[in-house]
Amino acid sequence: MSIKRFYAIKDNTITNAYKPNLITRATGSNMGASDILEVFSIYGQATTSSSELARVLIQFDTSEISSSRQSSLIPASGSVNFYLRMFNCVHQHTVPEDFKLVVAPISSSWDEGIGLDMDGYSDADESNWVKRTSSSNWTVQGGDFLTGSGASFTSQSFSTGLEDLTIDVSEQVEKWISGVTGNYGFGVFLTSSVESDTVSYYTKKFFGRGSEFFFKRPVLEARWN
């Protein structure tokens, strides 16, 4: 099997979680410069029925993929598969079990930002739970995602919570390359049933594109025989 990897050009974690005071939500926080990406759902922390979520945004340069195809470095459509790969980050917190992550195409542009604080959520910059850029809001808080014929949703189940994410996103990548839809990257988040569940799924972490561990950085991997 032949493999060519394309590395992310931007990523971020966005959240509506409460700050440490459990009063103020961190909807304006940005973590675009963090070397970690995080997905979680927390139920009943601030009040008996409160819900807190974190989602990942990640984007790859499909013009680089198109150039590689034109140069015959990767095969034509139908002869190659594209996999989104994100690598588990071991941490000291509780790891959720028996859950599913959705990978969905984002429907509008967003800016990465330079926030770092994933604990106190003190950094406000660019894309966050409310805003996609410093001057534009998401249509729906938590990110705008494609629906209908232009969308290719995929998902992966996690048993122990320690697994890497390896998921075939070929259909959506080919739509980006052919111009059927604009490339604004992927959102990675828990399924709607899990996000609305009355138990917590805290916390799943992946290495981000700024990780010092180069081979743990998220990639879009082209595979063909």
Side-chain angles (χ1 to χ4, degrees), residues 21-211:
N21 61 18
L22 295 184
I23 297 173
T24 308
R25 285 194 182 262
T27 52
S29 67
N30 174 274
M31 293 161 267
S34 174
D35 57 359
I36 299 296
L37 300 168
E38 186 172 20
V39 178
F40 62 68
S41 174
I42 307 173
Y43 182 79
Q45 177 177 234
T47 69
T48 56
S49 60
S50 63
S51 175
E52 303 167 65
L53 305 172
R55 296 171 173 174
V56 166
L57 310 176
I58 188 165
Q59 188 172 352
F60 298 86
D61 185 1
T62 45
S63 64
E64 182 185 359
I65 300 173
S66 297
S67 297
S68 294
R69 178 168 281 171
Q70 292 167 6
S71 302
S72 299
L73 296 177
I74 62 172
S77 176
S79 299
V80 60
N81 284 47
F82 295 96
Y83 289 84
L84 173 62
R85 300 193 65 194
M86 297 173 66
F87 300 92
N88 180 62
C89 176
V90 176
H91 55 83
Q92 75 273 24
H93 300 294
T94 302
V95 177
E97 299 178 351
D98 297 322
F99 63 92
K100 185 180 289 186
L101 290 181
V102 173
V103 175
I106 300 170
S107 61
S108 50
S109 62
W110 52 281
D111 292 334
E112 184 177 48
I114 57 172
L116 285 169
D117 187 1
M118 302 192 79
D119 297 312
Y121 304 123
S122 61
D123 298 331
D125 186 46
E126 301 299 346
S127 59
N128 52 52
W129 192 260
V130 176
K131 291 183 173 292
R132 58 186 181 86
T133 69
S134 58
S135 58
S136 301
N137 291 351
W138 299 107
T139 303
V140 178
Q141 291 190 9
D144 299 332
F145 305 102
L146 285 178
T147 58
S149 60
S152 298
F153 284 70
T154 48
S155 63
Q156 178 180 320
S157 296
F158 292 77
S159 298
T160 67
L162 299 174
E163 298 93 340
D164 296 334
L165 184 143
T166 303
I167 193 164
D168 191 333
V169 292
S170 303
E171 184 176 353
Q172 188 58 53
V173 172
E174 293 292 357
K175 286 179 180 178
W176 286 337
I177 294 172
S178 63
V180 172
T181 60
N183 170 26
Y184 304 114
F186 293 111
V188 182
F189 46 88
L190 294 159
T191 59
S192 57
S193 60
V194 171
E195 287 192 336
S196 60
D197 204 347
T198 55
V199 296
S200 294
Y201 293 82
Y202 181 85
T203 177
K204 176 62 175 175
K205 295 187 179 184
F206 297 101
F207 289 101
R209 76 183 192 94
S211 172

